[in-house]
Amino acid sequence: MTLSPSPSRSAGRRPSGTDRQSRAGIAFVAAYVLLLIAFGILPTGYAVYFAFTDAGGTFTGFSNFVTTAQDFRFMDAVGHVALYLLFWLVSLVVFVVSLALLLHRLASSSLSKSLRFLFYIPGALAGAASVLVWLFMLDPTVSPVSSLLGMLGYGTFGEVIAPGNLPLLFTVIAFWTGAGGWIVVIYGALNNIPTDVMEAARIDGAGAWQTAWHIQIPMLRKWIVYMVILAFAGGAQLFVEPQLLSLASVGVAGRDYSLNQLTYDFAFQMNNVNGAAAVSVELLVVSVSAAAVFVARSGFFDAD
C-alpha cells in the first residue's frame, strides 16, 4: 500500500518556484521603498519643515505662504502655469488618443511600426536638449522653417518668443518631447481590448468613429486618467523650458515666468529658502489634490 502525504501538509506547502518569486518581488519592492524614502518622503518632509519655520528654525505657521503669495510675481506665475496646463492637457488627451487610435487602425501595415518609432524618438532627448533644439527652430535667422515663421509674421527671435506666445510654444515643446511615449502606451492599451468585443461591434455595424467613441475610448478611461495625472504633475513643475528661453533671450521670456522659476529665485537670488519651500509645498498640495479628484471621479481603482 502506498502512503500519500496528508492533505493538511500538502495544502500548506508552497512550491519552491513560488518562494523564489516571492523573494524576488520583496527585493524589488524593498529597493523601490528605500529609494522612495530617500528621494521622495525625506525631501518632502524637509521642505514641509522649512515651509513652516523661519531661518532660525522657529515655527511661523503660514507666514511663509502668505509672504510668497503677496509677492508681485506670484499670481502672474500662477496664471502662466494654469494657461500652459490647459493647453498641454487638452492637446495631450486629444492628439495622443487620436493618433493612437489611428495607429491601431493601421496595425496590420508596416507604416504603423514606423510611425510609432518616429513618434517615440523625440522622447529620447532630455528636457534641456529638447529646448535647445527648439531655440534653433524658433529663430527665423537660422530655422529650417523660417519661411513658415515669416508667413506667420515673425521676423526675429524676440517676436516669436513674445510673452503672449509662450504658453503655446511650451505646449508644442512638451508635446514634441513627451507625447510619443504616451502614444505608444495608449496603443498598447488598445491592443488589450478583447477581440470579441471589437468583433461584436463590427457585426453590429459600428463604424470606426462609433467603435472609437463608444467602445475604445471608454475602455481606455483609466489609462487616459493615468496619463493626465502624470502630465499635470510634470506640467505644474514647468522650469527648464522658460529658464533656458529666458537665458537665450536675455530676459525677454522672464526668469520668473513659472512657479518653479519663482521658487528658484526665492532660494538662490533672494536667499529665502523658507519661501521657496512654501511654494514647493503648495505645488505638491495642488498636484496631489488634482490627482485625488481625477482618481475619485474616474473610478481609477474600481475593478473592471
Side-chain angles (χ1 to χ4, degrees), residues 102-262:
L102 177 61
L103 289 176
H104 192 258
R105 295 286 297 179
L106 302 173
S108 58
S109 67
S110 58
L111 179 62
S112 177
K113 296 180 180 179
S114 301
L115 289 176
R116 292 202 305 273
F117 178 72
L118 290 175
F119 288 149
Y120 189 74
I121 285 178
L125 292 174
S130 173
V131 178
L132 293 176
V133 171
W134 277 95
L135 290 178
F136 172 77
M137 294 291 292
L138 296 174
D139 189 345
T141 60
V142 295
S143 174
V145 294
S146 57
S147 57
L148 176 61
L149 294 174
M151 290 174 58
L152 295 175
Y154 301 121
T156 65
F157 183 61
E159 292 176 349
V160 175
I161 62 168
N165 297 336
L166 292 181
L168 182 59
L169 292 179
F170 293 149
T171 299
V172 172
I173 295 173
F175 189 87
W176 185 73
T177 56
W182 285 115
I183 292 173
V184 174
V185 170
I186 299 298
Y187 176 85
L190 284 169
N191 288 333
N192 287 329
I193 296 178
T195 55
D196 55 346
V197 174
M198 300 297 294
E199 184 66 18
R202 188 186 64 80
I203 293 174
D204 290 340
W209 168 254
Q210 293 173 318
T211 301
W213 185 255
H214 295 288
I215 296 175
Q216 292 174 306
I217 292 178
M219 297 186 77
L220 290 174
R221 184 185 71 246
K222 294 183 179 180
W223 287 101
I224 295 174
V225 169
Y226 177 66
M227 176 178 67
V228 169
I229 289 173
L230 294 186
F232 183 95
Q237 301 176 60
L238 180 68
F239 178 78
V240 173
E241 292 85 350
Q243 187 72 6
L244 289 182
L245 205 58
S246 175
L247 295 175
S249 62
V250 196
V252 173
R255 71 179 192 185
D256 49 16
Y257 181 85
S258 71
L259 287 170
N260 256 3
Q261 281 184 291
L262 188 58

Side-chain angles (χ1 to χ4, degrees), residues 47 49-58 60 64-65 68 266-267 271-279:
Y49 167 76
F50 273 107
F52 288 96
T53 58
D54 59 15
T58 304
T60 58
N64 290 319
F65 296 90
T68 54
F266 275 131
N271 198 29
N272 185 2
V273 178
N274 303 93
V279 178

